[in-house]
Amino acid sequence: QVQLQESGPGLVKPSETLSLTCTVSGGSISSYYWSWIRQPPGKGLEWIGYIYYSGSTNYNPSLKSRVTISVDTSKNQFSLKLSSVTAADTAVYYCAGDPYCGGDCLGYWGQGTLVTVSS
Amino acid sequence: SSELTQDPAVSVALGQTVRITCQGDSLRSYYASWYQQKPGQAPVLVIYGKNNRPSGIPDRFSGSSSGNTASLTITGAQAEDEADYYCNSRDSSGNHLYVFGTGTKVTVL
């Protein structure tokens, strides 16, 4: 059974860069699409972007200028970097993977990690 | 603003049927996937593609689509189905981007 686990700082200062890593276990990252999604407290889900294991990416246009998603197949990990953060970036960040749909659904999810942007 | 619109909340009596809808132009071309999220938990995929359920999802969950509207139906709702439900699909740009619906809170009475 594939499992995903997010890791990274829970507190980031305004204007700095948020960095999170998702470790994939129980299966190889060298297939499927891998995504990041976030959810501000009390609000809905927002798609951040995806990376294919080959390295091709696509990002939410509203975040594109600040987002980078990368993959490290040797470590079975993929990562998110979000620059110039503000309080509006405070959210639970989820990593997710698509085993079924060529990118069009998310069958594997991490438990999520809360990132707070505050000085 | 989200390109996929859902009703904010619906309620259903225990054992009855509830339909949750998701509207958006991109749904004329792409299927929606549906996610169940309970408080404090990660979302769970319940329906994908035309009408497919991942392993472990009860068959009381089903999906359908017509025109610009995708629907998730729970037939014989159970107390444990009380949750937030989100649809997800490609956006209308044609650039392989994705968007989530606004979410529907389902209350089982």
Side-chain angles (χ1 to χ4, degrees), chain A residues 16-18 38 66-67 80-85 89 93:
Chain A
E16 296 189 343
T17 296
L18 177 160
R38 70 180 183 178
R66 300 193 291 130
V67 171
L80 168 71
K81 292 188 185 299
L82 181 65
S83 64
S84 305
V85 298
D89 295 309
Y93 285 77

Side-chain angles (χ1 to χ4, degrees), chain B:
Chain B
S1 63
S2 176
E3 297 181 34
L4 296 178
T5 303
Q6 300 179 236
D7 290 330
V10 297
S11 60
V12 57
L14 185 67
Q16 296 304 300
T17 296
V18 62
R19 174 174 290 181
I20 305 160
T21 60
C22 172
Q23 289 189 303
D25 287 342
S26 65
L27 298 177
R28 297 183 186 278
S29 304
Y30 303 105
Y31 291 118
S33 53
W34 289 92
Y35 302 84
Q36 176 193 70
Q37 186 180 35
K38 296 180 179 180
Q41 298 183 18
V44 173
L45 177 68
V46 295
I47 290 289
Y48 66 95
K50 188 174 183 180
N51 180 21
N52 300 297
R53 285 175 289 106
S55 174
I57 301 301
D59 61 5
R60 63 179 179 270
F61 290 90
S62 63
S64 61
S65 185
S66 179
N68 73 334
T69 301
S71 300
L72 173 70
T73 300
I74 309 174
T75 303
Q78 301 299 302
E80 60 264 33
D81 300 333
E82 184 163 295
D84 294 326
Y85 291 83
Y86 294 92
C87 59
N88 175 256
S89 187
R90 298 196 188 195
D91 76 353
S92 53
S93 70
N95 294 326
H96 201 178
L97 306 175
Y98 293 91
V99 62
F100 282 95
T102 49
T104 298
K105 168 66 177 177
V106 172
T107 300
V108 179
L109 303 173

